[in-house]
Short mmCIF file of all heavy atoms in Angstrom, two decimals:
data_model
loop_
_atom_site.label_atom_id
_atom_site.label_comp_id
_atom_site.label_asym_id
_atom_site.label_seq_id
_atom_site.Cartn_x
_atom_site.Cartn_y
_atom_site.Cartn_z
N MET A 1 29.30 26.55 -23.93
CA MET A 1 28.43 26.66 -22.78
C MET A 1 28.80 25.58 -21.76
O MET A 1 28.93 24.42 -22.11
CB MET A 1 26.97 26.52 -23.21
CG MET A 1 26.02 26.54 -22.05
SD MET A 1 24.33 26.91 -22.46
CE MET A 1 23.67 25.36 -22.93
N ASN A 2 28.96 25.97 -20.52
CA ASN A 2 29.26 25.02 -19.46
C ASN A 2 28.00 24.28 -19.04
O ASN A 2 26.92 24.85 -18.99
CB ASN A 2 29.85 25.73 -18.24
CG ASN A 2 31.21 26.30 -18.53
OD1 ASN A 2 31.92 25.80 -19.38
ND2 ASN A 2 31.57 27.34 -17.81
N LYS A 3 28.17 23.01 -18.70
CA LYS A 3 27.05 22.23 -18.19
C LYS A 3 26.79 22.59 -16.74
O LYS A 3 27.71 22.92 -15.99
CB LYS A 3 27.37 20.74 -18.25
CG LYS A 3 27.22 20.13 -19.59
CD LYS A 3 27.37 18.62 -19.47
CE LYS A 3 27.16 17.95 -20.79
NZ LYS A 3 27.25 16.49 -20.68
N THR A 4 25.53 22.51 -16.37
CA THR A 4 25.17 22.61 -14.96
C THR A 4 25.07 21.19 -14.44
O THR A 4 24.49 20.33 -15.08
CB THR A 4 23.82 23.33 -14.81
OG1 THR A 4 23.94 24.64 -15.36
CG2 THR A 4 23.41 23.41 -13.36
N LYS A 5 25.66 20.95 -13.28
CA LYS A 5 25.69 19.60 -12.70
C LYS A 5 24.87 19.59 -11.42
O LYS A 5 25.05 20.45 -10.56
CB LYS A 5 27.12 19.18 -12.40
CG LYS A 5 27.25 17.81 -11.77
CD LYS A 5 28.71 17.48 -11.48
CE LYS A 5 28.86 16.16 -10.79
NZ LYS A 5 30.28 15.88 -10.46
N LEU A 6 23.97 18.60 -11.31
CA LEU A 6 23.22 18.38 -10.08
C LEU A 6 23.64 17.04 -9.51
O LEU A 6 23.65 16.04 -10.23
CB LEU A 6 21.71 18.36 -10.34
CG LEU A 6 21.08 19.74 -10.53
CD1 LEU A 6 21.21 20.19 -11.95
CD2 LEU A 6 19.67 19.71 -10.08
N THR A 7 23.98 17.03 -8.23
CA THR A 7 24.37 15.80 -7.54
C THR A 7 23.36 15.54 -6.43
O THR A 7 23.14 16.40 -5.58
CB THR A 7 25.79 15.93 -6.93
OG1 THR A 7 26.70 16.28 -7.98
CG2 THR A 7 26.22 14.65 -6.26
N ILE A 8 22.76 14.34 -6.46
CA ILE A 8 21.83 13.96 -5.42
C ILE A 8 22.65 13.35 -4.29
O ILE A 8 23.15 12.24 -4.40
CB ILE A 8 20.79 12.93 -5.94
CG1 ILE A 8 20.17 13.40 -7.26
CG2 ILE A 8 19.74 12.66 -4.86
CD1 ILE A 8 19.48 14.75 -7.20
N ASN A 9 22.84 14.10 -3.23
CA ASN A 9 23.67 13.65 -2.12
C ASN A 9 22.96 12.61 -1.27
O ASN A 9 21.74 12.68 -1.06
CB ASN A 9 24.08 14.83 -1.24
CG ASN A 9 25.05 15.75 -1.93
OD1 ASN A 9 25.97 15.29 -2.58
ND2 ASN A 9 24.84 17.05 -1.79
N ARG A 10 23.72 11.64 -0.80
CA ARG A 10 23.18 10.60 0.08
C ARG A 10 22.71 11.25 1.37
O ARG A 10 23.45 11.99 2.02
CB ARG A 10 24.27 9.57 0.36
CG ARG A 10 23.85 8.46 1.30
CD ARG A 10 24.94 7.43 1.49
NE ARG A 10 25.13 6.70 0.24
CZ ARG A 10 26.29 6.63 -0.44
NH1 ARG A 10 27.36 7.22 0.03
NH2 ARG A 10 26.36 5.96 -1.56
N ASN A 11 21.46 10.99 1.73
CA ASN A 11 20.87 11.51 2.96
C ASN A 11 21.00 13.02 3.09
O ASN A 11 21.21 13.54 4.18
CB ASN A 11 21.49 10.83 4.20
CG ASN A 11 21.27 9.35 4.21
OD1 ASN A 11 20.27 8.87 3.70
ND2 ASN A 11 22.20 8.62 4.75
N GLY A 12 20.89 13.72 1.98
CA GLY A 12 21.05 15.17 2.06
C GLY A 12 20.48 15.92 0.88
O GLY A 12 19.52 15.49 0.25
N SER A 13 21.10 17.01 0.58
CA SER A 13 20.62 17.97 -0.39
C SER A 13 20.89 17.55 -1.83
O SER A 13 21.52 16.53 -2.10
CB SER A 13 21.32 19.31 -0.15
OG SER A 13 22.72 19.17 -0.40
N ILE A 14 20.40 18.38 -2.73
CA ILE A 14 20.79 18.31 -4.14
C ILE A 14 21.81 19.43 -4.32
O ILE A 14 21.50 20.60 -4.10
CB ILE A 14 19.60 18.55 -5.08
CG1 ILE A 14 18.54 17.46 -4.89
CG2 ILE A 14 20.07 18.63 -6.52
CD1 ILE A 14 17.25 17.72 -5.63
N LYS A 15 23.02 19.07 -4.68
CA LYS A 15 24.07 20.06 -4.93
C LYS A 15 23.99 20.47 -6.39
O LYS A 15 23.96 19.63 -7.28
CB LYS A 15 25.45 19.49 -4.62
CG LYS A 15 26.56 20.52 -4.80
CD LYS A 15 27.91 19.94 -4.43
CE LYS A 15 28.99 20.99 -4.59
NZ LYS A 15 30.31 20.44 -4.28
N ILE A 16 23.94 21.77 -6.63
CA ILE A 16 23.92 22.30 -7.98
C ILE A 16 25.17 23.12 -8.19
O ILE A 16 25.55 23.93 -7.34
CB ILE A 16 22.63 23.11 -8.25
CG1 ILE A 16 22.58 23.62 -9.69
CG2 ILE A 16 22.45 24.24 -7.26
CD1 ILE A 16 21.25 24.22 -10.10
N GLU A 17 25.85 22.86 -9.32
CA GLU A 17 27.10 23.55 -9.64
C GLU A 17 27.08 23.99 -11.09
O GLU A 17 26.57 23.27 -11.95
CB GLU A 17 28.29 22.60 -9.47
CG GLU A 17 28.44 21.98 -8.10
CD GLU A 17 29.49 20.90 -8.09
OE1 GLU A 17 29.13 19.74 -8.40
OE2 GLU A 17 30.66 21.21 -7.79
N GLY A 18 27.66 25.13 -11.36
CA GLY A 18 27.79 25.59 -12.74
C GLY A 18 27.17 26.96 -12.93
O GLY A 18 27.10 27.77 -12.01
N ASP A 19 26.71 27.20 -14.15
CA ASP A 19 26.08 28.46 -14.51
C ASP A 19 24.57 28.24 -14.49
O ASP A 19 24.03 27.51 -15.32
CB ASP A 19 26.55 28.89 -15.90
CG ASP A 19 26.01 30.23 -16.32
OD1 ASP A 19 25.61 31.02 -15.43
OD2 ASP A 19 25.95 30.49 -17.53
N PHE A 20 23.89 28.82 -13.51
CA PHE A 20 22.45 28.59 -13.36
C PHE A 20 21.79 29.80 -12.72
O PHE A 20 22.45 30.65 -12.14
CB PHE A 20 22.19 27.34 -12.50
CG PHE A 20 22.79 27.41 -11.12
CD1 PHE A 20 22.09 27.98 -10.07
CD2 PHE A 20 24.07 26.93 -10.88
CE1 PHE A 20 22.65 28.07 -8.80
CE2 PHE A 20 24.64 26.99 -9.62
CZ PHE A 20 23.92 27.57 -8.57
N GLU A 21 20.48 29.85 -12.86
CA GLU A 21 19.67 30.78 -12.08
C GLU A 21 18.50 29.99 -11.55
O GLU A 21 18.12 28.96 -12.11
CB GLU A 21 19.21 32.00 -12.89
CG GLU A 21 18.13 31.76 -13.87
CD GLU A 21 17.66 33.04 -14.57
OE1 GLU A 21 18.29 34.11 -14.44
OE2 GLU A 21 16.65 32.96 -15.26
N ILE A 22 17.95 30.44 -10.44
CA ILE A 22 16.82 29.77 -9.82
C ILE A 22 15.70 30.80 -9.72
O ILE A 22 15.91 31.92 -9.26
CB ILE A 22 17.19 29.23 -8.42
CG1 ILE A 22 18.34 28.21 -8.55
CG2 ILE A 22 15.99 28.60 -7.75
CD1 ILE A 22 18.88 27.72 -7.23
N THR A 23 14.50 30.38 -10.16
CA THR A 23 13.34 31.26 -10.11
C THR A 23 12.25 30.64 -9.25
O THR A 23 12.18 29.42 -9.08
CB THR A 23 12.78 31.54 -11.51
OG1 THR A 23 12.31 30.32 -12.08
CG2 THR A 23 13.84 32.16 -12.42
N ASP A 24 11.38 31.50 -8.73
CA ASP A 24 10.22 30.99 -8.02
C ASP A 24 9.12 30.69 -9.03
O ASP A 24 9.32 30.82 -10.25
CB ASP A 24 9.77 31.97 -6.92
CG ASP A 24 9.26 33.30 -7.45
OD1 ASP A 24 8.97 33.44 -8.66
OD2 ASP A 24 9.13 34.23 -6.63
N SER A 25 7.95 30.27 -8.56
CA SER A 25 6.87 29.88 -9.46
C SER A 25 6.33 31.03 -10.30
O SER A 25 5.68 30.81 -11.32
CB SER A 25 5.73 29.22 -8.68
OG SER A 25 5.19 30.14 -7.75
N GLU A 26 6.61 32.25 -9.89
CA GLU A 26 6.18 33.42 -10.63
C GLU A 26 7.25 33.91 -11.62
O GLU A 26 7.04 34.90 -12.31
CB GLU A 26 5.82 34.56 -9.66
CG GLU A 26 4.76 34.18 -8.65
CD GLU A 26 3.43 33.86 -9.29
OE1 GLU A 26 3.05 34.57 -10.25
OE2 GLU A 26 2.76 32.91 -8.83
N GLY A 27 8.41 33.25 -11.63
CA GLY A 27 9.49 33.64 -12.52
C GLY A 27 10.46 34.65 -11.93
O GLY A 27 11.41 35.06 -12.60
N LYS A 28 10.25 35.04 -10.67
CA LYS A 28 11.16 35.98 -10.01
C LYS A 28 12.46 35.26 -9.66
O LYS A 28 12.44 34.16 -9.12
CB LYS A 28 10.51 36.54 -8.74
CG LYS A 28 11.35 37.59 -8.06
CD LYS A 28 10.63 38.16 -6.86
CE LYS A 28 11.56 39.12 -6.13
NZ LYS A 28 11.00 39.58 -4.86
N VAL A 29 13.58 35.89 -9.97
CA VAL A 29 14.90 35.27 -9.80
C VAL A 29 15.40 35.46 -8.36
O VAL A 29 15.35 36.56 -7.81
CB VAL A 29 15.91 35.88 -10.80
CG1 VAL A 29 17.30 35.30 -10.60
CG2 VAL A 29 15.44 35.66 -12.23
N TYR A 30 15.88 34.36 -7.76
CA TYR A 30 16.53 34.44 -6.45
C TYR A 30 17.89 35.12 -6.62
O TYR A 30 18.61 34.82 -7.57
CB TYR A 30 16.78 33.04 -5.87
CG TYR A 30 15.55 32.36 -5.34
CD1 TYR A 30 14.74 31.60 -6.17
CD2 TYR A 30 15.21 32.46 -3.99
CE1 TYR A 30 13.61 30.96 -5.67
CE2 TYR A 30 14.07 31.82 -3.49
CZ TYR A 30 13.29 31.08 -4.35
OH TYR A 30 12.18 30.45 -3.85
N GLY A 31 18.25 35.99 -5.71
CA GLY A 31 19.57 36.64 -5.72
C GLY A 31 20.61 35.70 -5.12
O GLY A 31 20.63 35.51 -3.90
N LEU A 32 21.43 35.11 -5.95
CA LEU A 32 22.40 34.12 -5.49
C LEU A 32 23.76 34.72 -5.18
O LEU A 32 24.69 34.01 -4.79
CB LEU A 32 22.53 33.00 -6.53
CG LEU A 32 21.23 32.29 -6.88
CD1 LEU A 32 21.47 31.25 -7.97
CD2 LEU A 32 20.59 31.68 -5.66
N GLU A 33 23.91 36.01 -5.38
CA GLU A 33 25.12 36.75 -5.01
C GLU A 33 26.39 36.12 -5.59
O GLU A 33 27.40 35.99 -4.91
CB GLU A 33 25.23 36.88 -3.49
CG GLU A 33 24.03 37.54 -2.84
CD GLU A 33 23.73 38.93 -3.38
OE1 GLU A 33 24.68 39.69 -3.67
OE2 GLU A 33 22.54 39.26 -3.52
N GLY A 34 26.31 35.68 -6.85
CA GLY A 34 27.49 35.18 -7.54
C GLY A 34 27.85 33.74 -7.27
O GLY A 34 28.86 33.24 -7.75
N ARG A 35 27.06 33.03 -6.48
CA ARG A 35 27.37 31.63 -6.18
C ARG A 35 27.31 30.77 -7.44
O ARG A 35 26.42 30.93 -8.26
CB ARG A 35 26.40 31.08 -5.14
CG ARG A 35 26.62 31.64 -3.75
CD ARG A 35 25.52 31.16 -2.80
NE ARG A 35 25.74 31.59 -1.44
CZ ARG A 35 25.43 32.79 -0.97
NH1 ARG A 35 24.90 33.70 -1.77
NH2 ARG A 35 25.68 33.10 0.29
N THR A 36 28.26 29.85 -7.54
CA THR A 36 28.27 28.90 -8.65
C THR A 36 28.06 27.47 -8.13
O THR A 36 28.11 26.52 -8.90
CB THR A 36 29.59 28.97 -9.43
OG1 THR A 36 30.67 28.71 -8.53
CG2 THR A 36 29.76 30.32 -10.08
N ALA A 37 27.79 27.33 -6.84
CA ALA A 37 27.46 26.04 -6.23
C ALA A 37 26.65 26.30 -4.97
O ALA A 37 26.93 27.25 -4.23
CB ALA A 37 28.72 25.26 -5.89
N LEU A 38 25.63 25.48 -4.74
CA LEU A 38 24.85 25.55 -3.51
C LEU A 38 24.02 24.29 -3.37
O LEU A 38 23.95 23.47 -4.28
CB LEU A 38 23.97 26.80 -3.45
CG LEU A 38 23.01 27.12 -4.59
CD1 LEU A 38 21.75 26.31 -4.49
CD2 LEU A 38 22.67 28.59 -4.54
N GLY A 39 23.40 24.12 -2.22
CA GLY A 39 22.58 22.95 -1.94
C GLY A 39 21.11 23.31 -1.92
O GLY A 39 20.71 24.31 -1.33
N LEU A 40 20.29 22.47 -2.56
CA LEU A 40 18.85 22.64 -2.55
C LEU A 40 18.24 21.59 -1.62
O LEU A 40 18.62 20.43 -1.65
CB LEU A 40 18.28 22.47 -3.96
CG LEU A 40 18.76 23.48 -5.00
CD1 LEU A 40 18.24 23.11 -6.38
CD2 LEU A 40 18.30 24.88 -4.62
N CYS A 41 17.27 22.02 -0.82
CA CYS A 41 16.62 21.13 0.14
C CYS A 41 15.77 20.10 -0.59
O CYS A 41 15.06 20.42 -1.53
CB CYS A 41 15.73 21.96 1.06
SG CYS A 41 14.77 20.98 2.24
N ARG A 42 15.85 18.85 -0.13
CA ARG A 42 14.93 17.83 -0.63
C ARG A 42 14.26 17.07 0.49
O ARG A 42 13.48 16.17 0.25
CB ARG A 42 15.59 16.90 -1.63
CG ARG A 42 16.66 16.02 -1.11
CD ARG A 42 17.26 15.21 -2.27
NE ARG A 42 18.22 14.29 -1.77
CZ ARG A 42 18.09 12.97 -1.78
NH1 ARG A 42 17.04 12.42 -2.32
NH2 ARG A 42 19.03 12.22 -1.27
N CYS A 43 14.52 17.46 1.74
CA CYS A 43 13.89 16.78 2.87
C CYS A 43 12.65 17.52 3.37
O CYS A 43 11.83 16.96 4.07
CB CYS A 43 14.88 16.63 4.03
SG CYS A 43 15.28 18.17 4.87
N GLY A 44 12.53 18.80 3.03
CA GLY A 44 11.41 19.61 3.47
C GLY A 44 11.56 20.23 4.84
O GLY A 44 10.66 20.91 5.33
N LEU A 45 12.71 20.02 5.49
CA LEU A 45 12.91 20.51 6.85
C LEU A 45 13.61 21.86 6.95
O LEU A 45 13.60 22.49 8.00
CB LEU A 45 13.70 19.47 7.66
CG LEU A 45 13.06 18.09 7.79
CD1 LEU A 45 14.02 17.12 8.48
CD2 LEU A 45 11.75 18.18 8.55
N SER A 46 14.21 22.33 5.87
CA SER A 46 14.97 23.57 5.90
C SER A 46 14.06 24.76 6.19
O SER A 46 12.95 24.85 5.67
CB SER A 46 15.67 23.79 4.56
OG SER A 46 16.33 25.04 4.54
N VAL A 47 14.54 25.69 7.00
CA VAL A 47 13.80 26.94 7.21
C VAL A 47 14.16 27.96 6.14
O VAL A 47 13.61 29.05 6.12
CB VAL A 47 14.04 27.52 8.63
CG1 VAL A 47 13.52 26.58 9.70
CG2 VAL A 47 15.50 27.84 8.85
N ASN A 48 15.08 27.60 5.27
CA ASN A 48 15.57 28.49 4.23
C ASN A 48 15.24 27.92 2.83
O ASN A 48 16.01 28.08 1.91
CB ASN A 48 17.09 28.65 4.39
CG ASN A 48 17.61 29.86 3.68
OD1 ASN A 48 16.91 30.83 3.48
ND2 ASN A 48 18.87 29.79 3.26
N LYS A 49 14.10 27.21 2.71
CA LYS A 49 13.73 26.59 1.45
C LYS A 49 13.69 27.63 0.34
O LYS A 49 13.26 28.75 0.60
CB LYS A 49 12.35 25.92 1.55
CG LYS A 49 12.33 24.67 2.38
CD LYS A 49 10.95 24.08 2.32
CE LYS A 49 10.49 23.41 3.54
NZ LYS A 49 10.24 24.15 4.71
N PRO A 50 14.10 27.33 -0.84
CA PRO A 50 14.44 26.01 -1.37
C PRO A 50 15.87 25.59 -1.09
O PRO A 50 16.33 24.56 -1.58
CB PRO A 50 14.21 26.17 -2.87
CG PRO A 50 14.64 27.57 -3.14
CD PRO A 50 14.16 28.34 -1.92
N PHE A 51 16.59 26.37 -0.30
CA PHE A 51 18.01 26.09 -0.06
C PHE A 51 18.19 25.21 1.17
O PHE A 51 17.43 25.30 2.14
CB PHE A 51 18.79 27.39 0.08
CG PHE A 51 18.57 28.30 -1.09
CD1 PHE A 51 17.74 29.40 -0.99
CD2 PHE A 51 19.15 28.02 -2.31
CE1 PHE A 51 17.51 30.22 -2.09
CE2 PHE A 51 18.92 28.83 -3.42
CZ PHE A 51 18.10 29.93 -3.30
N CYS A 52 19.20 24.36 1.14
CA CYS A 52 19.50 23.46 2.25
C CYS A 52 20.18 24.25 3.37
O CYS A 52 21.08 25.05 3.12
CB CYS A 52 20.42 22.34 1.76
SG CYS A 52 20.92 21.20 3.07
N ASP A 53 19.75 24.00 4.61
CA ASP A 53 20.42 24.61 5.77
C ASP A 53 20.97 23.55 6.72
O ASP A 53 21.36 23.87 7.84
CB ASP A 53 19.48 25.57 6.50
CG ASP A 53 18.30 24.87 7.17
OD1 ASP A 53 18.20 23.62 7.11
OD2 ASP A 53 17.46 25.58 7.75
N GLY A 54 20.96 22.28 6.29
CA GLY A 54 21.50 21.21 7.11
C GLY A 54 20.49 20.60 8.08
O GLY A 54 20.84 19.72 8.86
N SER A 55 19.23 21.03 8.04
CA SER A 55 18.22 20.51 8.97
C SER A 55 17.94 19.03 8.78
O SER A 55 17.39 18.39 9.67
CB SER A 55 16.90 21.27 8.79
OG SER A 55 17.04 22.61 9.20
N HIS A 56 18.35 18.46 7.67
CA HIS A 56 18.10 17.05 7.37
C HIS A 56 18.92 16.11 8.25
O HIS A 56 18.59 14.93 8.36
CB HIS A 56 18.41 16.75 5.90
CG HIS A 56 19.83 17.00 5.55
ND1 HIS A 56 20.26 18.24 5.12
CD2 HIS A 56 20.92 16.20 5.59
CE1 HIS A 56 21.57 18.17 4.89
NE2 HIS A 56 21.99 16.95 5.17
N ARG A 57 19.97 16.58 8.85
CA ARG A 57 20.85 15.71 9.63
C ARG A 57 20.06 14.95 10.68
O ARG A 57 19.27 15.52 11.42
CB ARG A 57 21.95 16.53 10.29
CG ARG A 57 23.01 16.96 9.30
CD ARG A 57 24.14 17.72 9.98
NE ARG A 57 25.15 18.09 9.02
CZ ARG A 57 25.08 19.12 8.19
NH1 ARG A 57 24.00 19.90 8.21
NH2 ARG A 57 26.05 19.39 7.35
N ASN A 58 20.28 13.66 10.73
CA ASN A 58 19.64 12.75 11.69
C ASN A 58 18.12 12.67 11.53
O ASN A 58 17.43 12.25 12.44
CB ASN A 58 19.97 13.15 13.13
CG ASN A 58 21.45 13.13 13.39
OD1 ASN A 58 22.17 12.25 12.93
ND2 ASN A 58 21.94 14.14 14.09
N GLY A 59 17.59 13.08 10.37
CA GLY A 59 16.14 13.00 10.22
C GLY A 59 15.69 12.75 8.80
O GLY A 59 14.50 12.84 8.51
N PHE A 60 16.61 12.44 7.91
CA PHE A 60 16.25 12.23 6.51
C PHE A 60 17.16 11.16 5.96
O PHE A 60 18.37 11.28 6.05
CB PHE A 60 16.43 13.53 5.72
CG PHE A 60 16.14 13.40 4.25
CD1 PHE A 60 14.85 13.27 3.78
CD2 PHE A 60 17.17 13.43 3.33
CE1 PHE A 60 14.59 13.16 2.43
CE2 PHE A 60 16.93 13.33 1.98
CZ PHE A 60 15.63 13.20 1.53
N GLU A 61 16.57 10.13 5.42
CA GLU A 61 17.38 9.05 4.85
C GLU A 61 16.92 8.75 3.44
O GLU A 61 15.73 8.52 3.20
CB GLU A 61 17.28 7.78 5.70
CG GLU A 61 17.93 7.92 7.05
CD GLU A 61 17.94 6.62 7.83
OE1 GLU A 61 17.82 5.56 7.21
OE2 GLU A 61 18.07 6.69 9.06
N HIS A 62 17.85 8.79 2.53
CA HIS A 62 17.58 8.38 1.15
C HIS A 62 18.90 8.05 0.50
O HIS A 62 19.77 8.90 0.36
CB HIS A 62 16.88 9.46 0.35
CG HIS A 62 16.62 9.03 -1.05
ND1 HIS A 62 17.43 9.40 -2.11
CD2 HIS A 62 15.66 8.23 -1.57
CE1 HIS A 62 16.98 8.85 -3.22
NE2 HIS A 62 15.91 8.14 -2.93
N GLU A 63 19.07 6.80 0.15
CA GLU A 63 20.27 6.36 -0.56
C GLU A 63 20.04 6.58 -2.04
O GLU A 63 19.22 5.89 -2.66
CB GLU A 63 20.54 4.87 -0.28
CG GLU A 63 20.88 4.58 1.17
CD GLU A 63 22.20 5.18 1.61
OE1 GLU A 63 23.14 5.25 0.79
OE2 GLU A 63 22.28 5.61 2.76
N SER A 64 20.71 7.55 -2.60
CA SER A 64 20.52 7.83 -4.02
C SER A 64 21.37 6.88 -4.85
O SER A 64 22.51 6.59 -4.52
CB SER A 64 20.90 9.28 -4.33
OG SER A 64 22.22 9.53 -3.95
N ALA A 65 20.78 6.37 -5.91
CA ALA A 65 21.48 5.50 -6.85
C ALA A 65 20.93 5.79 -8.24
O ALA A 65 19.71 5.79 -8.45
CB ALA A 65 21.26 4.03 -6.50
N ALA A 66 21.82 6.09 -9.16
CA ALA A 66 21.40 6.45 -10.52
C ALA A 66 20.71 5.28 -11.20
O ALA A 66 21.04 4.12 -10.97
CB ALA A 66 22.61 6.89 -11.34
N PHE A 67 19.74 5.60 -12.04
CA PHE A 67 19.04 4.59 -12.84
C PHE A 67 18.57 5.25 -14.12
O PHE A 67 18.55 6.48 -14.24
CB PHE A 67 17.87 3.97 -12.08
CG PHE A 67 16.80 4.96 -11.66
CD1 PHE A 67 15.72 5.23 -12.49
CD2 PHE A 67 16.89 5.62 -10.45
CE1 PHE A 67 14.75 6.14 -12.11
CE2 PHE A 67 15.92 6.54 -10.06
CZ PHE A 67 14.85 6.79 -10.90
N ASP A 68 18.20 4.45 -15.10
CA ASP A 68 17.71 4.96 -16.37
C ASP A 68 16.19 5.09 -16.33
O ASP A 68 15.49 4.16 -15.91
CB ASP A 68 18.09 4.02 -17.52
CG ASP A 68 19.59 3.97 -17.75
OD1 ASP A 68 20.27 4.96 -17.45
OD2 ASP A 68 20.08 2.92 -18.23
N LEU A 69 15.70 6.23 -16.77
CA LEU A 69 14.27 6.41 -16.91
C LEU A 69 13.77 5.64 -18.13
O LEU A 69 14.55 5.39 -19.06
CB LEU A 69 13.93 7.90 -17.09
CG LEU A 69 14.18 8.80 -15.90
CD1 LEU A 69 13.96 10.26 -16.28
CD2 LEU A 69 13.25 8.43 -14.74
N PRO A 70 12.50 5.29 -18.17
CA PRO A 70 11.98 4.64 -19.38
C PRO A 70 12.00 5.63 -20.53
O PRO A 70 12.02 6.85 -20.31
CB PRO A 70 10.55 4.25 -18.99
CG PRO A 70 10.20 5.08 -17.80
CD PRO A 70 11.49 5.45 -17.14
N PRO A 71 11.96 5.14 -21.77
CA PRO A 71 11.96 6.04 -22.92
C PRO A 71 10.78 7.00 -22.86
O PRO A 71 9.72 6.67 -22.32
CB PRO A 71 11.82 5.10 -24.11
CG PRO A 71 12.28 3.77 -23.62
CD PRO A 71 11.94 3.73 -22.16
N MET A 72 11.00 8.19 -23.40
CA MET A 72 9.92 9.18 -23.46
C MET A 72 8.82 8.68 -24.38
O MET A 72 9.09 8.04 -25.39
CB MET A 72 10.45 10.53 -23.96
CG MET A 72 11.37 11.19 -22.97
SD MET A 72 12.06 12.76 -23.56
CE MET A 72 10.63 13.68 -24.01
N LYS A 73 7.57 8.97 -24.01
CA LYS A 73 6.44 8.56 -24.85
C LYS A 73 6.32 9.51 -26.03
O LYS A 73 6.53 10.71 -25.90
CB LYS A 73 5.15 8.59 -24.04
CG LYS A 73 5.13 7.56 -22.93
CD LYS A 73 3.84 7.62 -22.16
CE LYS A 73 3.86 6.60 -21.05
NZ LYS A 73 2.62 6.63 -20.26
N THR A 74 6.00 8.95 -27.17
CA THR A 74 5.78 9.79 -28.35
C THR A 74 4.32 10.12 -28.46
O THR A 74 3.45 9.35 -28.04
CB THR A 74 6.25 9.05 -29.63
OG1 THR A 74 5.56 7.81 -29.73
CG2 THR A 74 7.75 8.80 -29.59
N LYS A 75 4.04 11.26 -29.03
CA LYS A 75 2.64 11.73 -29.15
C LYS A 75 1.99 11.15 -30.37
O LYS A 75 2.50 10.80 -31.33
CB LYS A 75 2.60 13.24 -29.19
CG LYS A 75 2.99 13.84 -27.88
CD LYS A 75 2.84 15.32 -27.92
CE LYS A 75 3.22 15.91 -26.57
NZ LYS A 75 2.96 17.31 -26.49
#
């Protein structure tokens, strides 16, 4: 099985690559027309949400830097 990779782009979208499907909150699948890479909006400005349309340019700043999450809590 291939891994799906998400890249948090500097001042931009989340790029998703690999074998994936995207569903809405009701479980309905978005028709991705065979795409194996695309950008997801994280600025909230896209008119094509959840997909990035480039609306973030000159209006969204976030320097992404990887970090470790704290350990998961046990029940």
Side-chain angles (χ1 to χ4, degrees):
M1 176 161 84
N2 293 333
K3 281 188 177 182
T4 300
K5 179 181 177 183
L6 282 85
T7 304
I8 311 302
N9 290 318
R10 178 177 291 122
N11 299 329
S13 65
I14 298 172
K15 183 178 181 182
I16 182 170
E17 302 171 273
D19 183 21
F20 58 88
E21 75 176 9
I22 300 174
T23 64
D24 66 14
S25 62
E26 303 296 321
K28 184 177 175 187
V29 178
Y30 285 88
L32 303 177
E33 304 302 323
R35 289 174 176 82
T36 58
L38 54 80
L40 297 174
C41 176
R42 67 183 184 113
C43 71
L45 300 174
S46 176
V47 297
N48 199 27
K49 289 184 214 68
F51 307 104
C52 178
D53 67 2
S55 293
H56 62 271
R57 285 183 179 80
N58 301 319
F60 177 73
E61 292 185 21
H62 180 262
E63 295 294 325
S64 58
F67 61 90
D68 293 332
L69 293 173
M72 291 178 54
K73 294 181 181 179
T74 57
K75 292 184 179 186

